Amino acid sequence: GVEGELRMFFDRYKYAYLNFTYQDVKDTTDDAFFPGSVPEYMFNLGANYDISKYVNANVSLNYVGERERSAVQRNHLHVSKRIGMFVP
């Protein structure tokens, strides 16, 4: 597989990012079996923002590509937002 990431920093804890993963997983013991939960492509796009010294906010958009599976085939798009606290 291949992975890559780009980040654009606006400040130490203020940045935007884009990353991707490509993987071609195969089960060489059984030609009819396709492993699940292993998508061919995954993309993430997001931004991180420090609200204060101890509070951080992050928003991300995640795409998990289609992968041939033995039973089910699905695409997933997930949007998440998080606020975290740093405790020294």
Side-chain angles (χ1 to χ4, degrees):
V2 177
E3 293 185 3
E5 180 173 81
L6 296 172
R7 282 192 186 199
M8 179 183 282
F9 285 89
F10 306 106
D11 195 355
R12 184 172 178 183
Y13 298 109
K14 292 179 179 79
Y15 58 87
Y17 59 89
L18 168 68
N19 57 49
F20 73 93
T21 301
Y22 167 78
Q23 48 195 351
D24 188 16
V25 178
K26 294 179 179 146
D27 182 350
T28 58
T29 62
D30 183 356
D31 291 337
F33 177 74
F34 297 99
S37 302
V38 184
E40 191 171 10
Y41 294 99
M42 292 186 291
F43 294 94
N44 299 297
L45 174 67
N48 194 71
Y49 186 81
D50 60 328
I51 297 169
S52 73
K53 183 177 179 180
Y54 300 108
V55 179
N56 179 57
N58 181 286
V59 62
S60 64
L61 178 66
N62 310 89
Y63 172 78
V64 179
E66 185 176 291
R67 182 64 173 176
E68 188 174 348
R69 295 167 175 83
S70 295
V72 179
Q73 210 168 353
R74 296 182 190 160
N75 282 336
H76 299 283
L77 182 63
H78 179 74
V79 178
S80 68
K81 57 189 176 303
R82 294 177 292 215
I83 296 180
M85 296 186 81
F86 297 114
V87 180

